[in-house]
Amino acid sequence: MKKDYISMLVLVGLLSACKNQPQGIQREVTNISDSSMVDINHYDVKKINVGDNITNKPMASQIISMNGKEKYVMLDEFHLYIFDWQQGILEDSVPLHQCGILRNCSGFNYINPDSIIIYNDGKKTVFLIESNGNIQKRWNIPRSDNYIQWVSSVNALNGTRIESDHEKFLFSGSILGALSQAKGLTIPISECLYKESGEWKSVAYYPDLYMQYNWGRYYMNCTYVTKDSKGRYLYSFPILDKVLRYNNDFSSCDTIPMKSRYGKGIEEFAFDSSEEDEINEIRYYISQTSYSNIMYDPYRNIYLRFAEHPLLDWSEKGAFCKPFSIVASDTEGKILSESSISTDYKKFHYQNMHVCKEGIAIAMENPDENHIYFACIKISGTFKSTAQ
């Protein structure tokens, strides 16, 4: 079985990862032993009361600040529901009927009551609405009937939330397919929609390392994006130890070393084409150290990245959830801490995870369909906050 490790290939990957002359931060990556910053095994539990008519497993949601108070906003088909974060009670809703049926990879970004972005994946349409649900503008994502295989499928879920500034919206996604078959191609993962002109422009791409080796067809292709207080966009790829960081206009890119101290490298997908079925895809993915969500914490001005560790006891019949750790870094590229969950990792839902004033809020498994339970994990230390 051929084995190619990221530790051997990271130089090649980073040299071609950013298309605009990457400027790596010159820091020695060491094994950080501190785990005290994020105490993942001790947390408070917060409940959001959704009742019996609203889903308790939303795929798109946010924690936002409104009039100095935190709100939990979630999408459930025809409405955005707004809850008081501290009390867990429903305060308001935004009707979305004018935007059509919102399912699958549809999502939103609640900027303020007068500016709410809705993405309808089925229609491939972006809507700008206000809090009464009235459409202010709409744009169609340029996709032809002859859909090109190597064009990313946009989604607006929590890991690839729609990002926004005064000039543009950023939409991101991933490819379903073996990227190793796309040698010589440049495959975008993010597109900018410029508000005034309506122009769409590809701005960020899969690192060449994805095309040089076989990493499977799905799980290692997923991308994760966030934006920091300086308007820089950070990208976390499952196979890369480092996070790529573009400036606001995507004219330059540097790297942030956020490698897990538990990771020993990643092997190339070892099955031949006849064996590329779903079971083998999962078996490969859960056997490797990989990386997932990247989040910016404005309250403490730090980056938080999730590292997923090999799962050894999958039965090939049920759902699978990998053990994980949380790597914390300052914005200059210094790793501050890594905290590994030691027990009960299966009860956390990565797809519903947010930064809040307390620290990190991660949804938990529970039998109560009328509530969403969050583990609120505190982040300790002295930080220079950028939050307003």
Side-chain angles (χ1 to χ4, degrees):
M1 181 176 68
K2 179 182 177 183
K3 296 184 178 181
D4 290 283
Y5 292 90
I6 284 289
S7 56
M8 299 169 60
L9 298 171
V10 67
L11 179 59
V12 175
L14 289 172
L15 287 175
S16 54
C18 304
K19 296 296 179 182
N20 295 293
Q21 296 183 350
Q23 300 171 356
I25 295 175
Q26 300 301 313
R27 286 188 180 273
E28 186 72 21
V29 180
T30 58
N31 290 324
I32 304 299
S33 61
D34 177 63
S35 300
S36 61
M37 178 181 290
V38 182
D39 187 357
I40 202 166
N41 294 309
H42 298 89
Y43 48 81
D44 297 326
V45 176
K46 190 178 295 294
K47 293 194 297 184
I48 302 295
N49 184 7
V50 297
D52 55 7
N53 294 317
I54 303 173
T55 181
N56 71 336
K57 292 184 178 180
M59 294 297 292
S61 57
Q62 283 179 266
I63 294 178
I64 64 172
S65 179
M66 188 184 300
N67 298 323
K69 295 184 178 180
E70 287 184 307
K71 310 293 180 182
Y72 179 66
V73 188
M74 57 169 281
L75 171 65
D76 189 6
E77 289 196 326
F78 291 111
H79 290 85
L80 288 180
Y81 293 102
I82 303 172
F83 298 83
D84 180 274
W85 174 245
Q86 294 301 325
Q87 300 182 37
I89 58 175
L90 180 64
E91 290 188 334
D92 201 358
S93 64
V94 179
L96 303 177
H97 298 82
Q98 294 185 33
C99 301
I101 299 175
L102 301 169
R103 296 175 179 164
N104 302 324
C105 294
S106 300
F108 72 99
N109 188 347
Y110 192 107
I111 300 171
N112 59 56
D114 297 319
S115 186
I116 305 169
I117 314 167
I118 303 294
Y119 170 61
N120 185 317
D121 181 61
K123 293 178 177 289
K124 297 293 185 290
T125 302
V126 180
F127 299 91
L128 179 64
I129 68 170
E130 41 76 50
S131 57
N132 291 322
N134 296 317
I135 296 174
Q136 308 299 305
K137 288 186 178 181
R138 73 177 71 199
W139 302 268
N140 293 323
I141 294 181
R143 294 290 187 266
S144 66
D145 292 336
N146 299 320
Y147 194 81
I148 301 172
Q149 179 182 4
W150 302 116
V151 173
S152 296
S153 298
V154 170
N155 71 67
L157 306 180
N158 291 345
T160 48
R161 183 179 314 287
I162 304 166
E163 298 293 352
S164 174
D165 58 32
H166 70 281
E167 178 188 28
K168 61 185 180 296
F169 302 131
L170 181 78
F171 296 84
S172 304
S174 56
I175 289 287
L176 177 61
L179 290 164
S180 57
Q181 299 174 7
K183 287 183 172 64
L185 298 180
T186 301
I187 302 176
I189 55 172
S190 289
E191 300 170 74
C192 279
L193 166 61
Y194 292 89
K195 299 177 184 180
E196 292 301 321
S197 67
E199 177 190 3
W200 287 86
K201 180 182 178 182
S202 297
V203 291
Y205 305 85
Y206 275 102
D208 288 345
L209 191 60
Y210 270 95
M211 274 62 79
Q212 294 170 352
Y213 302 91
N214 186 358
W215 310 104
R217 301 177 58 85
Y218 175 69
Y219 296 101
M220 295 298 189
N221 293 353
C222 295
T223 57
Y224 304 86
V225 186
T226 193
K227 186 176 74 169
D228 69 13
S229 63
K230 293 185 177 181
R232 298 172 297 192
Y233 299 98
L234 290 92
Y235 287 79
S236 175
F237 294 91
I239 69 170
L240 288 187
D241 291 340
K242 297 189 178 185
V243 172
L244 307 187
R245 183 174 65 181
Y246 289 87
N247 66 347
N248 186 259
D249 65 2
F250 288 89
S251 62
S252 66
C253 174
D254 61 10
T255 58
I256 303 294
M258 297 190 73
K259 177 182 178 179
S260 171
R261 69 172 182 263
Y262 303 104
K264 297 181 179 179
I266 178 172
E267 298 176 359
E268 185 183 9
F269 187 80
F271 301 98
D272 63 34
S273 59
S274 64
E275 298 176 299
E276 288 185 355
D277 60 17
E278 179 68 11
I279 295 297
N280 285 333
E281 283 280 337
I282 296 173
R283 186 184 295 121
Y284 165 64
Y285 164 67
I286 65 175
S287 70
Q288 304 297 316
T289 297
S290 58
Y291 296 90
S292 58
N293 211 352
I294 178 76
M295 300 189 298
Y296 172 66
D297 180 346
Y299 300 101
R300 287 153 284 265
N301 194 30
I302 59 175
Y303 301 143
L304 300 163
R305 191 189 196 194
F306 275 62
E308 301 176 331
H309 306 294
L311 174 65
L312 304 177
D313 59 351
W314 183 51
S315 66
E316 298 191 3
K317 293 183 179 180
F320 53 93
C321 177
K322 296 168 71 173
F324 66 90
S325 61
I326 301 174
V327 181
S329 165
D330 68 17
T331 59
E332 299 301 317
K334 177 183 177 182
I335 295 180
L336 304 173
S337 176
E338 180 175 9
S339 302
S340 177
I341 186 169
S342 57
T343 58
D344 298 330
Y345 61 87
K346 294 181 181 180
K347 68 183 178 183
F348 294 103
H349 295 296
Y350 296 174
Q351 71 271 18
N352 194 355
M353 177 170 58
H354 311 274
V355 171
C356 58
K357 288 182 180 178
E358 298 99 323
I360 305 170
I362 309 179
M364 304 169 65
E365 186 69 45
N366 74 86
D368 179 3
E369 295 183 354
N370 293 328
H371 291 86
I372 302 173
Y373 287 76
F374 282 97
C376 290
I377 304 166
K378 293 183 179 180
I379 301 176
S380 60
T382 302
F383 307 96
K384 182 179 180 181
S385 173
T386 62
Q388 299 296 319

